[in-house]
Amino acid sequence: MADETVLVTGASSGIGAATVRRVAADGADVALLARSRDRLRALADEVAAEHGVDTHVVPADVRESAEVAAAVESTVETLGPLTGVVVNAGLARGSDVESMTDDEFLTMQQVNVNGAFFTARESLSHLRETAGNVVFIGSFAGKYPRPFNPVYAATKWWVRGFAMSLAAQVGEDDIGVTVVNPAEVRTEFESADGTPFEEVFEEGEVTEPEEVADAVAFALSQEPPTTVNELDVYRRDKFSHF
């Protein structure tokens, strides 16, 4: 991915941080977007030193359209033409619908849905110029019913549906659109009781963020005219639990 420029949202931890490390290892310059400036700066310095790539830290909240627009423009001004975007920022709050608060509901909608839309909208004109790729991080929960958090699942169904329909809208412009659907990933992402998955699962029990990053890197490296539209990343025994 030498001479590529990739923007990753939710870049400060988990799948986002693993993706930053992976694309930098492949030679891409990378822009890191999240709210935590200090964590972004530390990661940017790490990959720049290790891989000799250019990095750009853009602290922003994906819920704020103006901040996303400024982050995209700043990335292009600093690193050059944008060739890849990873729409990764996402979270879960609460679980049971009857006890879910307005704040929990709205936070998931604003980050998972609005954030994905704002990031895609601001990136498309740049990706059109480079025949670039946009990769959405979906979820197993966006394909199958998930009883422990229907609202989170619904946001991921939205992301998947939006991505698939966006692919239809921009395919003739040579913009590649791929959805990567992980199941459980051992990250800081919180389970229904608020415990991070990295504490719930032992190493080797579920998917590691680096494995998802491998799928994302593959999607980013695709060239027209053909694109893999969807990749599912599940542990091998996933369907034996049904």
Side-chain angles (χ1 to χ4, degrees):
M1 298 185 69
D3 301 321
E4 302 288 311
T5 296
V6 177
L7 170 67
V8 181
T9 72
S12 60
S13 64
I15 293 170
T19 298
V20 168
R21 292 187 174 98
R22 174 57 200 271
V23 299
D26 288 346
D29 296 331
V30 58
L32 297 77
L33 188 156
R35 290 182 296 171
S36 176
R37 181 186 299 270
D38 291 344
R39 295 181 72 169
L40 293 179
R41 184 73 269 160
L43 179 57
D45 290 345
E46 171 196 322
V47 298
E50 184 169 353
H51 303 294
V53 298
D54 291 331
T55 61
H56 182 48
V57 168
V58 278
D61 187 337
V62 296
R63 295 175 293 183
E64 302 294 335
S65 62
E67 292 187 23
V68 175
V72 171
E73 292 305 317
S74 175
T75 295
V76 173
E77 291 173 4
T78 304
L79 298 180
L82 191 62
T83 59
V85 174
V86 182
V87 183
N88 167 69
L91 49 74
R93 292 288 185 271
S95 175
D96 182 71
V97 169
E98 291 180 85
S99 62
M100 182 170 289
T101 66
D102 290 357
D103 183 66
E104 289 170 335
F105 171 78
L106 291 172
T107 297
M108 284 190 283
Q109 294 290 316
Q110 291 164 354
V111 175
N112 299 359
V113 173
N114 297 8
F117 170 75
F118 294 150
T119 304
R121 183 182 67 183
E122 300 304 327
S123 302
L124 288 177
S125 63
H126 299 285
L127 296 175
R128 186 174 290 110
E129 294 177 0
T130 61
N133 294 284
V134 55
V135 181
F136 291 85
I137 303 300
S139 174
F140 182 90
K143 297 186 70 174
Y144 303 97
R146 301 296 279 168
F148 61 79
N149 196 330
V151 174
Y152 170 76
T155 66
K156 288 300 185 177
W157 280 73
W158 186 95
V159 167
R160 183 168 176 262
F162 174 64
M164 294 292 186
S165 297
L166 181 64
Q169 187 172 83
V170 302
E172 291 184 352
D173 298 331
D174 273 342
I175 299 175
V177 180
T178 302
V179 187
V180 175
N181 301 306
E184 297 87 350
V185 183
R186 213 169 61 86
T187 67
E188 295 178 12
F189 191 89
E190 295 181 353
S191 62
D193 65 1
T195 306
F197 277 2
E198 62 188 3
E199 297 178 18
V200 174
F201 301 105
E202 297 292 334
E203 187 173 355
E205 278 193 288
V206 293
T207 304
E208 296 292 327
E210 291 77 16
E211 295 173 300
V212 183
D214 288 342
V216 173
F218 166 75
L220 289 171
S221 69
Q222 297 175 104
E223 297 182 0
T226 302
T227 296
V228 173
N229 288 118
E230 188 166 24
L231 289 165
D232 296 337
V233 185
Y234 310 151
R235 64 179 187 268
R236 293 183 180 184
D237 68 344
K238 180 63 178 174
F239 291 106
S240 67
H241 293 262
F242 280 82

